[in-house]
Amino acid sequence: MNVEVRLFATLREYLPAGSGRTSAQIEMQEGTRICDLLDRLGIPAAIAHLVLVDGRYEADRTRELQDGCAVSIWPPIGGG
Amino acid sequence: MISAYAGKLLRVDLTSRQVRSESIDPDAARRFIGGRGLATKMLSEAVHPQVDPLSPANTLILATGPLTGTSAMCGGRFMAVTKGPLTGTIASSNCGGTFGPELKYAGYDMVVLEGAASEPLLMVIEDGKVELHPAGELWGLNVHETEDRLHGELGRDFQLVSIGPAGEKLVRFAAIINDKGRAAGRSGVGAVMGSKKLKAIAVRGTGGLSVADPPGFRAACLDSLAKLEAGEITGQGLQSFGTAILVNIINESGVFPTRNFRQGQFESAEKISGETIAEEILVRPRACVACPIACGRVTEVRGGPYRSRGDGPEYETVWALGADTGVEDLGAVTKANYVCNELGMDTITAGATVACAMELFEEGVLSEKDVGRKLKFGDAEAVVDMMTKIGNREGFGDVLAEGSARVAERYGRPELFMGVKKQEMPAYDPRGVFGMGVQYATSNRGGCHVRGYMIAPEILGVPQKLDAHTPQGKAETNIAFQNLTAALDSIGVCLFVTFSIGAPELAAMLKTATGFDYDADEFMQVGERIWNLEKLFNMKAGLTRKDDTLPRRLLSEPMPAGPAKGLTVPLDEMLTQYYRLRGWDEQGAPTQEKLAALGL
Ligand code: SF4
């Protein structure tokens, strides 16, 4: 299945080579969980502070991803 | 003399040009700290809440806090407190830069500006010596020209606050600017300074400040500093990407107001994000005095029609001049920001007012003849052009200079004003972040995010994540944030420290600096006292429960698409809860018991 990964702020350095400014399409096996995706990209779990799946906050890192979904990940950020 | 304070205030009657120095009352300082709190107390006693904000009967107070100018980190802040011409409520706008500390080194915690001069004046304060000079030659100059001229004449050791043409011409959202790019931005405090015909204050001080418990203060500051440096947000994040790092997360969460809050997602958000700013226009980060965070941006648009260099844009600014007007051209957004800095006006209200006018134009309410040009969403050139016209009150800019509440009202479509108490909401649509709904509705200065920043828990997961789509628990958290911020704005330290430290650390610095025996609970209670006093001012100004509301669009038009699709703000439920938890009656008035408990 295909998942769109979007990485922001300092996490952009974990994007695979050849990606756009903040996003990449990644081919994963069915049943892949958020934590598997983090492993595959080499992102330490502790700095993946905010994970949104299709715009919705996801606290459960063992949640399985669906084909065609968009996973967006941020380190701790602030502003305002 | 109280430790950490300069101990004196400067009272200036601009009508008679009398200047007096007075002592700071230690009892009042203990109960209201300084900055926003102490200035609100003094304003409440001196000004009838029903005065015309732009008349000589209004008073404008520039107030530092006890930690301003000390070695406390991010302690460079001061507040401008007055009755606001945009809202008719109490106005208190926070400003960074170098002015606040310098004022204290010159011997004053506050400048209290009363009356109004008959001709433009410049005030020069040098170590306790105060002079008022005619400033006809400065009148009409923009903020950058004013600063350059004064630095040339007085020397670069002077720190400055000034107004631009927007303040002189009483644009209802004119700002007071320090260091060319730092603004006491919101609610029109710059128009009040303009109504008093005070163009600028130049200050130089060579004095020092002493704290009550030097080793204890040093330890408390080092503890807070270590936490700021260890915190991901305050240690590195804000410096690398600035506040506009929020663009993508707010947009992906579906609460990035687009085209006057018609939508919650902007298809071109990426083009105006903090990441794009860092790659394309950032020259270097810039910090206020004593700040290790350095969220400010020195930027340069290197080519195209908007070539120029300056400060900004911040997150709220890229939203107001970008997504809210449908503009995706970062160069144009940045240029429009520079124009606001130079003319001296609030970017949030300026952008949001143009966005409101764009909706009126697209609805056919405004014509090309009214505006003098086309004014469609997405027209970058129109946004830059309108900024110049508003700041100078030229052509249709004269109409927009009144702010979007009055514009929407004038053209018979008051529901298209996207704000509260006549002040425009900033960059978060509360239909998908409910706590911001109760925050906007109850904010004592109208639509505002920095009175109680519910985005931190509801979107950013700081200090912990709350579900953004439920009303449960929001009133309670919002009240705690409002009280914390009111106290923080009174000590002279920047709000952004609260991404890493809270009331215990702030109270520890305050206690060791002043010698007053504050703890975290008392610190929060001072915040509650200030909040209630502001509320009393607004009630006496004529505001009632019906002013604690949101635009109809947010209460009854469901979000059209995205993660918040189908949602509206369940305000009544949160508001009832909010009043109850505040100890206010059903009409939102503080009860006698509550006022007695707070000593008001
Ligand atoms: S965090 Fe930003 S606004 Fe606050 S004091 Fe530092 S540079 Fe100024």
Side-chain angles (χ1 to χ4, degrees), chain B residues 18-178:
Chain B
Q18 300 272 317
V19 178
R20 252 190 1 246
S21 163
E22 295 173 15
S23 297
I24 298 281
D25 170 6
D27 292 334
R30 172 73 206 238
R31 284 166 18 88
F32 294 92
I33 304 179
R36 175 171 158 192
L38 195 52
T40 299
K41 176 184 184 289
M42 292 170 52
L43 186 83
S44 300
E45 289 165 357
V47 168
H48 192 288
Q50 293 193 349
V51 297
D52 172 354
L54 296 176
S55 72
N58 197 6
T59 293
L60 170 64
I61 304 177
L62 306 185
T64 65
L67 297 190
T68 308
T70 67
S71 52
M73 73 293 136
C74 309
R77 316 289 302 190
F78 71 95
M79 301 288 300
V81 178
T82 187
K83 180 176 176 180
L86 186 67
T87 57
T89 65
I90 186 121
S92 51
S93 294
N94 190 293
C95 189
T98 52
F99 178 81
E102 197 73 18
L103 182 65
K104 283 183 77 175
Y105 304 150
Y108 301 104
D109 295 296
M110 296 185 179
V111 182
V112 181
L113 301 162
E114 302 171 340
S118 53
E119 58 166 345
L121 292 179
L122 160 72
M123 181 153 85
V124 180
I125 306 170
E126 191 171 8
D127 275 336
K129 192 175 99 209
V130 186
E131 289 173 349
L132 290 165
H133 300 285
E137 286 183 1
L138 296 174
W139 206 250
L141 298 186
N142 74 31
V143 167
H144 289 203
E145 292 161 348
T146 305
E147 289 206 12
D148 289 344
R149 173 87 68 99
L150 289 174
H151 274 144
E153 285 171 9
L154 299 168
R156 298 204 68 85
D157 291 339
F158 278 83
Q159 307 305 331
L160 310 167
V161 284
S162 65
I163 55 168
E168 296 173 10
K169 296 191 166 133
L170 312 183
V171 172
R172 280 188 193 269
F173 41 92
I176 298 173
I177 308 268
N178 177 203

Side-chain angles (χ1 to χ4, degrees), chain A residues 14 17 51 72 74-75:
Chain A
Y14 295 96
V51 178
S72 304
W74 285 264

Side-chain angles (χ1 to χ4, degrees), chain B residues 325-340:
Chain B
T325 55
V327 169
E328 60 170 42
D329 179 339
L330 180 62
V333 169
T334 306
K335 175 69 184 177
N337 185 170
Y338 297 162
V339 173
C340 289

Side-chain angles (χ1 to χ4, degrees), chain B residues 222-244:
Chain B
L222 286 175
D223 173 54
S224 286
L225 183 62
K227 287 174 178 156
L228 286 197
E229 285 175 349
E232 288 261 359
I233 301 170
T234 49
Q236 229 257 304
L238 277 166
Q239 184 162 131
S240 303
F241 298 105
T243 56

